[in-house]
């Protein structure tokens, strides 16, 4: 049986009420994902609301080969557009949980009571 890991990303897409777009930091998703998959983990992506999550375009560093590789994968794009909702997850089924950074996480991670539980 393969090990399972959970990678949590933000559902939030704006800097407060400014209208400026934000989201998850690409490197904070792709690099842990790369290492976990390389170590044989099956990795689920989840977010507070589930569904589509948002890439902070300021973190789109295509000079980084890991970032570039994941952004070129249709399966990765599908996964970030279809994250699991935190409320649908049994945390006991994972051997690791990683919270990805990014400005969006500043808004919804602290407010998510289910994430705190």
């Amino acid at each position: 049986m393969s090990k399972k890991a959970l990678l949590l990303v933000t559902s939030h897409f704006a800097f407060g009420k400014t209208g400026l777009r934000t989201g998850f930091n690409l490197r904070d998703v792709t690099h842990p994902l790369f290492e976990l998959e390389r170590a044989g983990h099956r990795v689920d992506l989840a977010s507070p609301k589930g569904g589509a999550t948002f890439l902070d375009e300021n973190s789109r560093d295509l000079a980084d080969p890991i970032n570039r590789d994941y952004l070129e994968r249709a399966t990765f794009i599908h996964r970030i557009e279809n994250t699991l909702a935190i409320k649908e997850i049994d945390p006991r089924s994972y051997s690791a949980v990683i919270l990805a950074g990014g400005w969006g996480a500043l808004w919804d991670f602290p407010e998510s009571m289910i994430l705190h539980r």
Side-chain angles (χ1 to χ4, degrees):
M1 178 189 291
S2 68
K3 300 170 275 189
K4 282 177 58 177
L6 180 65
L7 184 53
L8 294 167
V9 295
T10 185
S11 292
H12 197 80
F13 63 91
F15 278 103
K17 297 179 183 185
T18 67
L20 298 174
R21 301 280 296 177
T22 191
F24 67 86
N25 182 286
L26 184 59
R27 182 181 174 87
D28 287 357
V29 172
T30 59
H31 284 252
L33 189 55
F34 174 80
E35 294 297 337
L36 289 164
E37 290 176 340
R38 186 170 74 165
H41 288 271
R42 190 184 106 212
V43 182
D44 289 337
L45 296 181
S47 63
K49 294 180 181 177
T53 188
F54 308 93
L55 167 64
D56 184 329
E57 290 297 327
N58 291 320
S59 71
R60 185 186 289 267
D61 177 7
L62 297 180
D64 180 318
I66 293 174
N67 284 350
R68 187 176 56 253
D69 177 57
Y70 276 97
L71 286 176
E72 291 174 352
R73 296 183 192 185
T75 54
F76 176 72
I77 301 303
H78 177 77
R79 290 171 73 189
I80 63 172
E81 291 176 348
N82 297 278
T83 62
L84 301 170
I86 292 174
K87 67 182 178 185
E88 300 169 355
I89 293 169
D90 177 4
R92 296 171 296 191
S93 65
Y94 296 97
S95 59
V97 177
I98 295 99
L99 280 70
W103 293 110
L106 292 174
W107 277 272
D108 61 355
F109 283 10
E111 301 298 321
S112 175
M113 296 317 296
I114 196 159
L115 177 58
H116 289 252
R117 283 193 299 272

